[in-house]
Amino acid sequence: MNKKDIELLLMLDQTKNITHAAEQLFVSQSTISMRITNLEKLYGIAIIIRKHRGIEWTDKGKLLLQFAQRFKLEHLKLLDQISEDAEVSGTLKIGVSHFFALHKMPKILRLFKKEYPNVHIEIITGWSSEMYRELTVGNVHLIFVKGDFPWGDEKLLLYKEAMIVASAVPFELEDLPNLPRIDYKTDPLIKHTIDQWWNHTFTEQAKTAIFVNQVETCKEMILNGLGFGILSEFVIKNEPSIYSKPIIHPETNQHIIRPTWLYYEKTYSELKSVHVFIQFIKKLNIESL
């Protein structure tokens, strides 16, 4: 397996599609297919399963992908070790949940770049569950996400926030089924938490009057008196005119809390750019930014 094979495997994993991988590598689809066939002949295994809308890794193909990911990491470590540049440089790839990307990340990056201007930063955003998948397949070095995910490696708790019901007018929780609700598209994990609370608390379905794509739009609808919303307390923390009540877990009788985490692999923290960023984050009061 050579460097081009490594690049091919990593790009296939990133795109999950032969056509898209070919476009990103600036080669033809037939070239990609031929290189896959050659690898399969070399190792005597099937690497991928071709499907109508993309590819899926076989169990043996996943082993080759894991090798490619380890090779990439070791190569980055090597570049770190032989670099004669006294300044910290390199590339830092970060996955960030939507809310964190809007409210926290710009301030963090501004402060970080003042100290480490030579570090090149690549950011991708999405739902927390999507960023978790990006981390598990090795597409990013670290992620900022809301919620608890099954993660056996390094993580840092940044802050916690309560889930609340918010409205522009006074209300009682028992009246919610009769009031218009402003709902919004959110991460499946958060939606499940909210739905679980609602179904344990009420027998009636919510009267959703408006459905929007972002929680920030939901907040504006609430501010204009169009209904109530169920969201995290940080979304409305600077809105003193809003009435709010925390939602309580029906089994534990405790406030439903959403933690925000920094997740990363310990092996990636051996890279200078990743290491200095993690140490930088540990010194910040992220909640107050």
Side-chain angles (χ1 to χ4, degrees):
M1 187 185 300
N2 57 35
K3 183 180 178 182
K4 288 188 175 181
D5 294 329
I6 297 289
E7 292 175 346
L8 168 62
L9 293 174
L10 294 174
M11 188 56 67
L12 276 175
D13 187 57
Q14 183 175 332
T15 61
K16 302 295 190 297
N17 185 287
I18 290 177
T19 300
H20 296 161
E23 291 172 352
Q24 293 297 317
L25 295 173
F26 302 102
V27 296
S28 65
Q29 292 183 50
S30 60
T31 298
I32 294 289
S33 296
M34 182 179 66
R35 285 167 59 183
I36 293 171
T37 300
N38 290 340
L39 280 173
E40 290 179 330
K41 288 180 179 178
L42 176 64
Y43 292 102
I45 60 171
I47 296 176
I48 61 170
I49 300 170
R50 291 168 171 81
K51 294 189 172 183
H52 179 64
R53 293 188 176 180
I55 63 103
E56 181 178 318
W57 296 98
T58 65
D59 289 342
K60 295 295 178 63
K62 289 177 182 177
L63 294 177
L64 288 187
L65 173 62
Q66 290 167 7
F67 172 82
Q69 291 167 340
R70 289 195 301 270
F71 178 90
K72 178 183 177 182
L73 175 59
E74 291 302 319
H75 184 247
L76 290 173
K77 289 180 183 178
L78 176 63
L79 294 177
D80 261 2
Q81 292 169 3
I82 64 177
S83 174
E84 296 179 356
D85 189 353
E87 298 291 334
V88 177
S89 58
T91 297
L92 180 61
K93 296 183 179 181
I94 307 174
V96 190
S97 66
H98 287 305
F99 185 84
F100 199 94
L102 178 62
H103 293 277
K104 302 291 186 181
M105 208 64 208
K107 300 171 187 175
I108 292 173
L109 293 181
R110 175 173 54 82
L111 295 171
F112 180 75
K113 291 293 283 185
K114 283 184 179 180
E115 291 192 31
Y116 302 100
N118 294 326
V119 175
H120 174 68
I121 299 175
E122 297 179 6
I123 302 285
I124 61 171
T125 64
W127 306 121
S128 290
S129 55
E130 294 171 340
M131 296 303 97
Y132 171 68
R133 286 194 294 271
E134 292 293 324
L135 181 63
T136 58
V137 300
N139 288 338
V140 292
H141 296 132
L142 47 86
I143 57 173
F144 292 93
V145 291
K146 285 181 180 291
D148 296 299
F149 294 90
W151 184 248
D153 216 317
E154 299 294 315
K155 61 182 181 179
L156 175 66
L157 179 62
L158 302 176
Y159 56 85
K160 297 179 180 179
E161 52 190 314
M163 297 297 295
I164 61 168
V165 179
S167 173
V169 297
F171 66 95
E172 298 297 331
L173 288 178
E174 56 264 31
D175 296 330
L176 293 184
N178 299 315
L179 300 176
R181 177 180 173 184
I182 314 300
D183 202 358
Y184 57 96
K185 186 176 181 180
T186 186
D187 188 272
L189 195 60
I190 299 177
K191 184 179 186 306
H192 174 74
T193 299
I194 295 173
D195 289 347
Q196 188 179 44
W197 170 78
W198 184 278
N199 293 331
H200 275 85
T201 307
F202 306 109
T203 57
E204 308 97 321
Q205 293 297 311
K207 293 183 178 179
T208 301
I210 301 174
F211 185 88
V212 295
N213 283 334
Q214 297 288 342
V215 68
E216 288 295 326
T217 309
C218 175
K219 182 182 79 170
E220 293 302 317
M221 298 291 182
I222 295 170
L223 286 170
N224 283 276
L226 298 173
F228 73 88
I230 305 173
L231 31 73
S232 71
E233 60 180 331
F234 281 14
V235 177
I236 61 155
K237 71 175 183 176
N238 295 320
E239 302 294 344
S241 63
I242 292 293
Y243 297 87
S244 67
K245 296 180 186 293
I247 61 176
I248 307 298
H249 195 287
E251 297 177 357
T252 65
N253 204 34
Q254 301 293 319
H255 291 176
I256 295 178
I257 301 295
R258 296 290 296 169
T260 294
W261 294 93
L262 169 64
Y263 284 13
Y264 61 95
E265 290 187 19
K266 188 175 182 179
T267 51
Y268 277 131
S269 66
E270 297 175 26
L271 299 174
K272 284 188 291 187
S273 58
V274 179
H275 174 75
V276 297
F277 184 78
I278 292 170
Q279 297 306 310
F280 177 81
I281 293 298
K282 288 181 177 179
K283 293 186 294 183
L284 286 181
N285 184 346
I286 303 295
E287 183 175 347
S288 66
L289 288 178

